[in-house]
């Protein structure tokens, strides 16, 4: 039973994906708190912004592994999200620090809802891909 | 208080020696002092407390240009800040009675203590007037309640202004063509043959009334009104406005007319068989039928019985409408209101023939601004046209004959219109209505609540306005109407009458924390139901107490229930920390450009002379920082004979050399402050010390200011003249001067978030930054404005400032004087609550949004307004009404925590036409302009412009949908409630903020956007569509008014007559435009020159001469200046001045090379309407 590189990639992806799921849960909760006035937007942005780049990088890491291991299908599924992340970061408001969220515009109802929706969609995506990676890992291991 | 001794108002802070003085309004004086419960001290808002109030207007008149506005006076710190509450006294700032032992004895009474307006308890209390008292009533009180658009009474009243000559039904759609006097007469020309001669002859022979009826004949005829239409008339209920009757009867007494009633009827004149007259009237007859029947015995018409009238009247189609609905009393009113309009035209005086018409104007001048006229502008216009016909023909050569004809022909379904009108659903064909702008200010549309709350006082429209006066029941209905839903608030407006209350517990809903207000429902004497969340709450025992009768019972007599705007003095639980003192810090740019501009001298002078007027109490602190490439601090602490300057060279890591002496108590260290203010300008003078560093380290200075002020909070005032290029927050020039007129404008977004982050820090520390940008070159206001935008400050922009130009100096002085002396609220938050189902989508203004409905406003000033876009989240169909409540919690400059609460209630609409016809077009413009600014920043200017155009197209498409009209229907019908939308939108597109194709400096554009974002509605509208008035023949004011009221003109060159003089008022500057053909006598009387050529190319001062025209002119200008924060600059231009483009470019109805004319814009919209 050889422990192939694809298998390694899937195992890493599984662990990373679990982190991503936590990230998006945190994201959803944070925006819910904003909506219900539990938190000050400045504080909330200060806690959200440092997490944006790590999330994107983790996601990128998975895909680099997939690329190297030649898991094209898994990679293909993730490409739209990568593109979205790049677009999102490219069009972020003028900020000196890292991050996406600007406390002065985040309370706009449109921004709030779209961010929250984004959180839910990502959560669903990461959950589904978690099972996909699990399946992929098993397939790779069995094939080996 | 020690620092304000010279101020008369403040000198009586706690104990007012002279009660009558304090309450100069009769009502107050009438309240026996003994009756007042202990807490009753300052019954009125601090604003109104001062004895000065009653005398303001006289004063103003005397002072002329500089201080002739109530606002500034009433908002002077003295008025507003009642002073610290005295020990045991319940915090009533200004007690009407001496602080003798008597009130003290009463203090023990169990009742909640009121520091409120006695008004509510006096018999003659008029809730309506509470807020607007400073405004001279435009409208007789009886008219206050008239529905604007809705309902039968309205319809009935419609005909009134028209007088017998007009059919009430179609007027809106139709001849408004004539709109504003001059051109109108000829419009009718083509249709009936005799016209031209007719109208002209009329006035000559007879009183003003005559021209009216005869003209009307033709009008109706022209439209070929089917007989059916007459039915409409009778169906209209006949309530009239009795008040009109009396004023009218005066003028009416012309010899031909046998009695006041007859005046209105066409028949009156005929019966008298006056030869000239009959000739005139033959016109209608000729068209419609034989003369004799028409001119039946006058009694027939004037008599009370409507039935006989029908048949007889029918021959001239015009009259039936009028006579029937109008019936007795109404008839008179027609005339009354009619006459004045007719007389208004300035030209009257020039034409000897018309002199006859003149006299009546005197007596009738009163109703000039009657509701009717202002609400239904077209009709008065039309009548005005008729009567001024002769004048037009002489003075206004251009006419719109063909157009008038087509317009009349266009009105086919008159019956339908009649019913529409009956229900307040007027329509206007925009393409055919040439004169759409009301000549006199219109009241905002009235809000009609259900019967349960029909009498409840609603919030004044000057404070709180909604774009739709009937809220759509569902979101889908709102989408169908395609109108923006939002509210505009001017929460800290200076008010003359504001009930102020102090009580132990402020009654609020336990669930949603709504303050109790006039629209709550009392379940029983002990419980009330919240009107926002519908929770049933208990009523505290003390709320039952009625302080006047000293009895328990009826809670609805409480001032909270009787006034929709109220102020509470907040108890301790509303404070997170002890109320902060007033702290002011001034930051002066002293770089080379600043020295060149010489602003510092002006600012220091104004500051020095206004030190006493700075709002504050004994704790007030003040400090100064200057900056060029370094930061200079000025220590004025104890023990220093002269202020000591300390310069910090390390601007990258700023620190405070001696934090304790940089901010000093104004009262204690006054000499030091004055010495510094005297010395500063000299220090920064150009010559002695060689050239100053060219760079300015604004960022570092702001950081220093933040560190200095963060422990207390307060206000930072920044005077900046150039682009900050040194230290933190340094910027570089982004503007490409060659691209100033290009289509796409870049760099509307900030270049760095340094200023925004700083503003957020400041906001957290209750600091607000106000920016005075006196730049002579690009200064990247888009970035710099962030410091004010997010800290609740304001931006003042004087482009190309130079102290060498006196007009700039004057503007800065006025601006600054107002700025320094106006009321201020510290550490404020504003929460806007909405009825469940509605939520706030976006906020507009300068603040930081701290949660979904909470704005953090470190400072709040009386000159800023806010806008909120709303969304309907759930169906409201089971509700009776929708309420909005804005609560502003602030610390007054006297260290009192106060809560100002405004409540607005609106009814619901279930159908599309209802929504459309209840729209408030002015408010829509206000909101849409703010949305467009956001769009510019978030997307692009082009998108914003497109969105603005679409606002009109969408609204009219929705209207077409509501009418079920075919897509290809002719014309461009619009509900009367939205008729001005395209006009204002076009003007908005030509504002500096949104225009393209014309060279516009980026800073000017951004400054304009800033002002659109945070100006109160009234000022914003004036800025968007300036008012143009003819000056050459100001009629003397009628008794109720103390200043002339000339009609407003469209901003179009066709209104500019070569022998007239005009005043264009955009709120910032009043341009007086004198044409070459103006009468020499007028020049001599008003300007003191004998010939046009002697006028300077650019006059800046209007001489005050001892002649009537000059007095009238000044009275008029003073009146205009009355309602703005500071008086406008006056600029006198000739029509051959090199800088006349300053005037001409404001004529926004006309086509310019890169933008549509109004008519083209309508065509464009028509092509977009689907």
């Amino acid at each position: 039973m050889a422990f192939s590189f694809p298998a390694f990639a899937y195992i890493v992806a599984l662990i990373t994906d679990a982190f991503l799921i936590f990230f998006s849960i945190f994201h959803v909760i944070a925006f819910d708190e904003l909506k219900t006035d539990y938190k000050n937007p400045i504080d909330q942005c200060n806690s959200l912004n440092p997490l944006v780049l790590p999330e994107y990088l983790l996601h990128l890491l998975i895909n680099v592994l997939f690329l190297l291991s030649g898991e094209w299908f898994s990679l293909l599924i993730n490409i739209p999200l990568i593109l979205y992340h790049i677009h999102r970061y490219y069009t972020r408001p003028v900020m000196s620090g890292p991050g996406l969220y600007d406390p002065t515009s985040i309370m706009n109802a449109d921004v709030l809802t779209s961010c929250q929706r984004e959180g839910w969609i990502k959560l669903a995506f990461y959950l589904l891909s978690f099972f996909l990676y699990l399946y992929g890992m098993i397939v790779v291991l069995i094939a080996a | 208080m020690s620092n304000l001794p010279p101020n008369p108002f403040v000198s009586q802070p706690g104990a007012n020696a002279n009660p009558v003085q304090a309450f100069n309004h009769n009502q107050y004086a009438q309240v026996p002092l003994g009756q007042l419960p202990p807490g009753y001290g300052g019954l009125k808002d601090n604003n109104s407390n001062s004895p000065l109030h009653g005398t303001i207007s006289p004063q103003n008149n005397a002072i002329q240009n500089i201080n002739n506005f109530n606002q500034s006076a009433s908002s002077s710190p003295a008025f507003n800040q009642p002073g610290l509450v005295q020990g045991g006294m319940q915090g009533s700032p200004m007690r009407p009675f001496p602080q003798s032992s008597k009130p003290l004895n009463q203090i023990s009474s169990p009742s909640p203590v009121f520091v409120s307006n006695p008004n509510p308890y006096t018999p003659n209390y008029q809730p309506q007037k509470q807020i607007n008292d400073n405004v001279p009533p435009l409208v007789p009180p009886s008219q206050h309640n008239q529905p604007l658009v809705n309902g039968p009474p309205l319809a009935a009243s419609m005909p009134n202004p028209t007088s017998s000559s007009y059919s009430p039904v179609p007027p809106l759609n139709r001849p408004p063509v004539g709109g504003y006097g001059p051109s109108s007469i000829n419009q009718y020309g083509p249709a009936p043959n005799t016209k031209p001669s007719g109208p002209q002859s009329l006035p000559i022979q007879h009183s003003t009334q005559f021209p009216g009826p005869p003209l009307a004949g033709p009008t109706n005829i022209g439209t070929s009104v089917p007989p059916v239409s007459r039915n409409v008339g009778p169906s209209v209920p006949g309530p009239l406005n009795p008040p009109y009757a009396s004023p009218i009867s005066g003028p009416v007494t012309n010899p031909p007319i046998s009695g006041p009633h007859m005046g209105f009827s066409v028949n009156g004149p005929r019966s008298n068989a006056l030869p000239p007259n009959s000739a005139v009237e033959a016109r209608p007859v000729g068209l419609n039928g034989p003369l004799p029947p028409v001119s039946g015995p006058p009694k027939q018409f004037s008599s009370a019985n409507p039935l006989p009238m029908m048949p007889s009247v029918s021959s001239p189609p015009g009259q039936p409408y009028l006579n029937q609905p109008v019936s007795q009393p109404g008839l008179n009113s027609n005339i009354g209101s009619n006459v004045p309009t007719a007389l208004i035209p300035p030209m009257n005086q020039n034409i000897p023939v018309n002199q006859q018409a003149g006299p009546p104007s005197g007596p009738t001048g009163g109703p000039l601004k009657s509701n009717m006229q202002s609400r239904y502008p077209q009709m008065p216009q039309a009548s005005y046209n008729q009567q001024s016909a002769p004048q037009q023909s002489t003075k206004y050569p251009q006419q719109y004959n063909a157009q008038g004809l087509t317009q009349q022909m266009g009105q086919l379904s008159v019956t339908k219109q009649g019913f529409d009108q009956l229900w307040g659903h007027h329509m206007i064909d925009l393409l055919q209505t040439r004169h759409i702008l009301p000549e006199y200010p219109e009241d905002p549309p009235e809000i009609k609540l259900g019967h349960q709350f029909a009498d409840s006082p609603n919030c004044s429209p000057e404070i709180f306005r909604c774009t739709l006066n009937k809220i759509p029941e569902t979101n889908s209905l709102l989408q169908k109407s395609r109108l923006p839903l939002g509210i505009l608030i001017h929460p800290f407006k200076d008010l003359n009458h504001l009930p102020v209350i102090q009580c132990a517990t402020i009654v609020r809903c336990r669930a949603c924390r709504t303050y109790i207000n006039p629209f709550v429902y009392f379940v029983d004497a002990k419980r009330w139901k919240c009107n926002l969340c519908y929770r049933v709450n208990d009523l505290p025992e003390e709320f039952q107490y009625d302080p006047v009768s000293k009895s328990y019972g009826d809670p609805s007599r409480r001032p909270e229930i009787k006034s929709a705007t109220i102020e509470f003095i907040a108890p301790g639980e509303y404070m997170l920390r002890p109320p902060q003192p007033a702290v002011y810090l001034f930051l002066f740019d002293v770089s080379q450009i600043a020295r060149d501009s010489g602003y510092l001298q002006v600012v220091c002078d104004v500051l020095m002379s206004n030190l006493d007027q700075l709002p504050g109490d004994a704790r007030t602190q003040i400090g100064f920082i200057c900056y060029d490439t370094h930061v200079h601090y000025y220590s004025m602490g104890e023990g220093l004979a002269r202020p000591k300057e300390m310069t910090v060279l390390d601007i990258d890591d700023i620190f405070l050399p001696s934090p304790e002496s940089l901010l000093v108590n104004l009262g204690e260290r006054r000499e030091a402050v004055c010495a510094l203010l005297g010395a500063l300008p000299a220090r920064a003078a150009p010559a002695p010390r060689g050239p100053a560093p060219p760079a300015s380290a604004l960022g570092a200075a702001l950081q220093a200011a933040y560190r200095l002020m963060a422990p207390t909070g307060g206000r930072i005032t920044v005077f900046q003249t150039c682009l900050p290029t040194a230290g933190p927050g340094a910027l570089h020039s982004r503007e490409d001067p060659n691209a100033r007129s290009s289509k796409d404008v870049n760099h509307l977004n900030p270049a760095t978030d340094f200023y925004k982050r700083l503003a957020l820090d400041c906001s957290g520390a209750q600091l607000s930054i106000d920016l005075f940008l006196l730049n002579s070159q690009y200064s990247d206001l888009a970035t710099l404005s962030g410091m004010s935008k997010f800290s609740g400050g304001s931006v003042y922009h004087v482009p190309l400032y130079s102290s060498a130009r006196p007009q700039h100096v004057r503007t800065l002085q006025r601006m600054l004087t107002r700025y320094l002396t106006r009321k201020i609220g510290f550490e404020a938050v504003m929460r806007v609550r909405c009825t469940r189902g509605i939520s706030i989508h976006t906020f507009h203004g300068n603040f930081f949004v701290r949660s979904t409905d909470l704005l953090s406003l470190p400072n709040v000033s009386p000159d800023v307004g806010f806008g909120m876009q709303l969304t309907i989240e759930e169906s409201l169909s089971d509700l009776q009404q929708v309420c909005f409540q804005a609560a502003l919690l602030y610390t007054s400059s006297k260290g009192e925590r106060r809560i100002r609460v405004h409540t607005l209630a609106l009814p619901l609409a279930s159908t599309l036409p209802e929504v459309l016809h209840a729209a408030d077009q002015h408010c829509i413009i206000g909101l849409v302009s703010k949305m467009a600014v956001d769009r510019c920043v978030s997307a692009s200017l082009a998108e914003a412009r497109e969105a603005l155009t679409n606002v009109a197209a969408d609204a009219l498409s929705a209207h077409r949908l509501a009418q079920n009209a075919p897509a290809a229907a002719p014309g461009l019908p619009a509900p009367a409630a939205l008729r001005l939308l395209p006009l204002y939108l076009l003007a908005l597109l030509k504002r500096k903020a949104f225009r393209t194709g014309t060279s516009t400096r980026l800073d000017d554009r951004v400054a304009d956007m800033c002002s659109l974002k945070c100006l109160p509605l009234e000022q914003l509208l004036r800025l968007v569509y300036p008012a143009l008035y003819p000056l050459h023949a100001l009629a003397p004011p009628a008794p109720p008014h103390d200043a002339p009221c000339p009609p407003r003109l469209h901003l179009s060159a066709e209104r500019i007559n070569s022998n007239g003089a005009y005043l264009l008022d955009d709120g910032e500057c009043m341009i007086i435009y004198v044409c070459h053909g103006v009468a020499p006598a007028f020049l001599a009387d008003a300007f003191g020159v004998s010939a046009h050529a002697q006028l300077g190319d650019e006059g800046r001062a209007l001489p005050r001469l001892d002649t009537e025209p000059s007095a009238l002119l000044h009275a008029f200008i003073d009146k205009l200046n009355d309602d703005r924060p500071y008086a406008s600059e006056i600029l006198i231009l000739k029509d051959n001045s090199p800088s006349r483009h300053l005037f001409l470019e404001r004529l926004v109805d006309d086509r310019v090379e890169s933008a549509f004319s109004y008519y083209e814009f309508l065509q464009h919209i028509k092509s977009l309407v689907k």
Side-chain angles (χ1 to χ4, degrees), chain B residues 37 240 261 308 324 375 435 698 737 810 813 912 951 967 987 1125 1132:
Chain B
L240 324 148
H261 286 185
Q324 294 154 359
R375 290 175 180 179
H435 311 287
L698 172 64
R810 276 196 304 268
Q813 280 170 341
L912 185 52
V951 168
I1132 302 172

Side-chain angles (χ1 to χ4, degrees), chain B residues 806-1000:
Chain B
Q807 70 268 25
H808 285 173
V809 173
R810 276 196 304 268
T811 306
L812 182 62
Q813 280 170 341
R814 286 174 186 152
M815 206 181 247
L816 203 56
T817 306
R818 163 70 179 171
Y819 172 79
L820 292 172
T821 57
R822 72 189 178 194
K823 191 174 173 172
I824 183 172
F826 294 103
E827 41 185 0
V829 290
M830 181 165 77
R831 198 182 281 275
V832 182
R833 297 181 172 88
C834 311
T835 295
R836 200 173 50 197
I838 292 191
S839 66
I840 298 177
H841 181 274
T842 309
F843 294 90
H844 300 279
N846 290 351
F847 44 67
F848 172 61
V849 188
R850 221 159 63 189
S851 83
T852 42
D853 59 352
L854 184 68
L855 303 181
S856 151
L857 298 160
N859 283 0
V860 61
S861 100
D863 297 336
V864 297
F866 303 91
M868 284 113 208
Q869 278 169 262
L870 305 170
T871 47
I872 300 176
E873 294 191 324
E874 38 192 279
S875 168
L876 308 167
S877 49
D878 51 343
L879 306 182
Q880 305 292 312
Q881 61 188 12
V882 169
C883 288
F884 305 97
Q885 186 173 72
L888 178 75
L889 172 63
Y890 68 98
T891 302
S892 77
S893 53
K894 301 291 185 203
E896 256 181 338
R897 206 71 172 135
R898 287 171 167 239
I899 309 165
R900 192 175 286 192
V901 179
H902 307 286
T903 313
L904 177 74
L906 294 170
L908 287 158
S910 53
T911 64
L912 185 52
E914 258 185 292
V915 176
L916 289 172
H917 288 279
D920 180 342
Q921 50 197 351
H922 294 116
C923 189
I924 290 178
I925 291 296
L927 187 68
V928 153
S929 61
K930 295 175 200 299
M931 292 162 65
V933 171
D934 271 4
R935 184 67 71 90
C936 281
V937 175
S938 66
S940 71
L941 183 64
E943 256 185 62
R945 287 175 57 87
E946 193 185 331
L948 279 178
T949 314
N950 284 338
V951 168
D954 283 350
L956 298 181
S957 307
H959 180 243
R960 185 157 281 184
L961 184 73
Q963 295 294 124
N964 278 328
L972 188 60
L978 292 172
R979 67 190 192 282
L980 296 179
L981 206 54
L983 188 70
Y984 276 89
L985 285 173
L986 178 68
L988 201 53
L989 287 172
K990 291 180 177 178
R991 276 299 306 170
K992 278 184 188 155
F994 302 116
R995 71 187 182 189
T996 56
T998 314
S999 176
T1000 310

Side-chain angles (χ1 to χ4, degrees), chain B residues 25 47 138 227 244 446 463 574 614 670 795-796 855 1106 1120:
Chain B
H25 293 259
N47 278 335
L138 296 181
Y244 276 120
E446 202 201 0
I463 294 176
Y574 290 86
L614 278 179
R670 214 188 123 92
V795 174
Y796 298 86
L855 303 181
D1106 195 17
L1120 291 180

Side-chain angles (χ1 to χ4, degrees), chain B residues 76-307:
Chain B
S76 88
F79 287 101
N80 301 334
Q81 317 308 343
L84 281 178
V85 175
Q86 304 253 321
M89 303 298 284
Q90 317 294 341
S92 79
M94 302 215 174
R95 303 182 163 265
F97 41 76
Q99 196 175 13
S100 64
S101 58
K102 181 180 166 195
L104 287 174
N105 297 339
Q106 293 176 349
I107 278 185
S108 57
S109 104
S111 73
V113 182
F114 277 71
V115 183
S116 86
N117 201 323
N119 256 352
Y121 305 105
T122 56
N124 49 3
Y125 166 61
Q126 291 185 349
Q128 291 277 16
K129 305 195 71 176
Q130 241 182 354
I131 293 168
N132 292 329
D133 235 10
N134 51 344
V135 183
L138 296 181
V139 175
S142 61
Q143 296 175 359
H144 266 302
N145 297 328
Q146 285 198 349
L148 193 149
V149 181
N150 300 325
L154 178 49
S157 56
M158 284 251 343
N160 289 349
T162 347
S163 89
S164 47
S165 54
Y166 274 141
S167 74
V169 182
L172 270 185
N173 298 342
R174 127 171 11 137
V177 199
Y180 182 160
S183 50
S184 59
I185 255 246
N186 296 342
Q187 296 160 346
Y188 306 119
N193 17 3
T194 47
K195 244 141 276 158
S197 64
Q200 285 181 353
S201 61
L202 288 181
I204 305 180
Q205 294 142 359
H206 293 291
S207 75
T208 31
Q209 295 170 325
F210 284 64
L215 258 190
T219 324
N220 294 334
I221 295 159
T223 36
S224 72
V225 179
V228 199
S229 62
R230 269 164 238 138
N231 299 337
V232 180
S235 70
V236 181
L240 324 148
N241 305 340
Y244 276 120
S246 43
I248 293 149
S249 58
V252 177
T253 56
N254 300 311
I257 301 169
S258 53
H261 286 185
M262 301 172 135
F264 65 90
S265 74
V266 180
N267 301 328
R270 291 186 200 134
S271 65
N272 287 327
L274 294 170
N277 214 6
S278 57
V280 175
E281 278 155 4
R283 273 181 295 120
V285 178
L287 292 170
N288 286 331
L291 176 56
V294 180
S295 61
K299 301 275 152 123
Q300 205 180 348
F301 292 88
S302 59
S303 71
N305 94 20
L307 288 181

Side-chain angles (χ1 to χ4, degrees), chain A residues 22-85:
Chain A
F22 285 122
F23 275 29
S24 48
I25 290 177
F26 177 75
H27 180 102
V28 169
I29 292 175
F31 277 93
D32 196 61
E33 280 175 344
L34 272 184
K35 256 193 171 165
T36 48
D37 291 5
Y38 275 114
K39 282 271 177 75
N40 181 322
I42 299 182
D43 299 343
Q44 202 65 296
C45 288
N46 287 343
S47 62
L48 280 172
N49 277 332
L51 295 181
V52 173
L53 277 186
E55 183 198 331
Y56 288 5
L57 290 179
L58 283 181
H59 186 246
L60 210 61
L61 170 74
I62 301 178
N63 289 285
V64 171
L65 288 178
F66 286 149
L67 181 70
L68 296 180
S69 60
E71 292 298 323
W72 306 119
F73 179 69
S74 302
L75 181 65
L76 201 68
I77 289 180
N78 279 295
I79 279 181
L81 188 58
I82 296 176
L83 293 180
Y84 173 74
H85 282 163

Side-chain angles (χ1 to χ4, degrees), chain B residues 231-453:
Chain B
N231 299 337
V232 180
S235 70
V236 181
L240 324 148
N241 305 340
Y244 276 120
S246 43
I248 293 149
S249 58
V252 177
T253 56
N254 300 311
I257 301 169
S258 53
H261 286 185
M262 301 172 135
F264 65 90
S265 74
V266 180
N267 301 328
R270 291 186 200 134
S271 65
N272 287 327
L274 294 170
N277 214 6
S278 57
V280 175
E281 278 155 4
R283 273 181 295 120
V285 178
L287 292 170
N288 286 331
L291 176 56
V294 180
S295 61
K299 301 275 152 123
Q300 205 180 348
F301 292 88
S302 59
S303 71
N305 94 20
L307 288 181
M309 289 168 69
M310 284 272 299
S312 64
V313 173
S314 59
S315 37
Q319 285 103 355
Y321 299 77
L322 307 166
N323 294 339
Q324 294 154 359
V326 175
S327 79
Q328 287 28 342
L331 298 179
N332 297 337
S333 59
N334 296 340
I335 298 158
S337 44
N338 216 356
V339 172
T341 0
L343 295 174
I344 298 168
M347 319 90 188
N348 273 352
Q349 292 159 351
N350 297 339
I351 301 175
V353 181
N354 293 331
Q355 291 298 17
Q356 288 172 328
S361 71
T364 33
L368 270 188
K369 283 185 146 188
S370 79
N371 267 355
M372 304 285 155
Q373 293 180 347
S374 54
R375 290 175 180 179
Y376 302 98
Q378 293 85 353
M379 302 188 356
Q381 283 165 359
S383 64
Y384 165 87
N385 299 336
Q386 300 167 354
Q387 298 180 358
S388 61
Q391 305 147 7
Q392 298 160 5
S393 53
T394 51
K395 298 201 105 190
Y396 289 80
Q398 345 88 308
Q399 318 284 355
Y400 314 106
N401 300 343
Q403 211 203 350
L405 183 57
T406 46
Q407 244 180 291
Q408 295 162 15
M409 300 303 278
Q411 317 305 320
L412 291 178
S413 62
V414 179
T415 317
K416 182 167 185 320
Q417 290 166 8
F419 283 112
D420 281 347
Q421 181 185 356
L422 194 61
W423 297 109
H425 294 176
H426 310 285
M427 275 193 301
I428 292 173
D429 187 344
L430 293 177
L431 281 178
Q432 305 195 353
T433 309
R434 194 164 181 108
H435 311 287
I436 201 145
L437 185 74
E439 287 180 335
Y440 297 100
E442 286 186 321
D443 291 350
E446 202 201 0
I447 296 166
K448 285 183 70 182
L449 291 173
H451 64 279
Q452 188 187 351
F453 293 105

